[in-house]
Amino acid sequence: MPEWALYALASAAGYLAGSIPFGLVITRAAGLGDIRAIGSGNIGATNVLRTGRKDLALATLLLDSLKAGLAAFAFTQVAGREVGFMAGAAAFIGHCYPVWLNFKGGKGIATYAGLLVFVTPLKGLVIAAPIWLGLFALTRISSLAALTAAVAVPPGTYMMGERNPVILGGLTLLSVFVFWTHRANLGRLIKGTEPRFGTPKAKPEE
């Protein structure tokens, strides 16, 4: 198969895998209704946790991670790391803009983490996870923890020995994209109005 066709197949398969809205599917199956009607209004694990169901939030986190990670892993085995990275990156895009939900999805942190586990291997996650966990524990502001961790991933991965320019460039683009998906949060962080986790919200985020 030509190289361009491998990249196209990886992108399409990754995007469709990433588009599966596990948070919405799981909460509806549990009889909790539409997860988009509460909290931040998105379909990710952090918002699922606002239902009070830690088990469902953990399941969402794992499944959202695996849909990028397994896509990356499968195509890495078949066609190499660059094609695998493309599949995982496409899953990230699919999660943020799922075709099944009129292109309105989550913010991509769990899918990004899953990609890091299977592509870097673990280098990026070793950098990002402690930063996210530490900042979230200190501030209870999920978006601040996510943005800070995203900033640290490309240089941290490089410092831990990653030298593939496709991987490093792709991680940089995905980290920039995390700021785009969190743009409303970023605005509130600058204003000092971003709510801490557990604070009731009057309506979903725009």
Side-chain angles (χ1 to χ4, degrees), residues 146-156 175 179:
L147 291 169
T148 305
V151 168
V153 165
S175 289
F179 274 74

Side-chain angles (χ1 to χ4, degrees), residues 111-138:
T111 50
Y112 195 2
L115 174 63
L116 293 175
V117 170
F118 284 89
V119 171
T120 52
L122 293 182
K123 294 184 181 75
L125 194 64
V126 167
I127 295 293
I131 292 174
W132 191 96
L133 290 170
L135 267 179
F136 183 71
L138 286 172

Side-chain angles (χ1 to χ4, degrees), residues 137-150:
L138 286 172
T139 66
R140 308 298 293 176
I141 302 176
S142 178
S143 59
L144 177 61
L147 291 169
T148 305

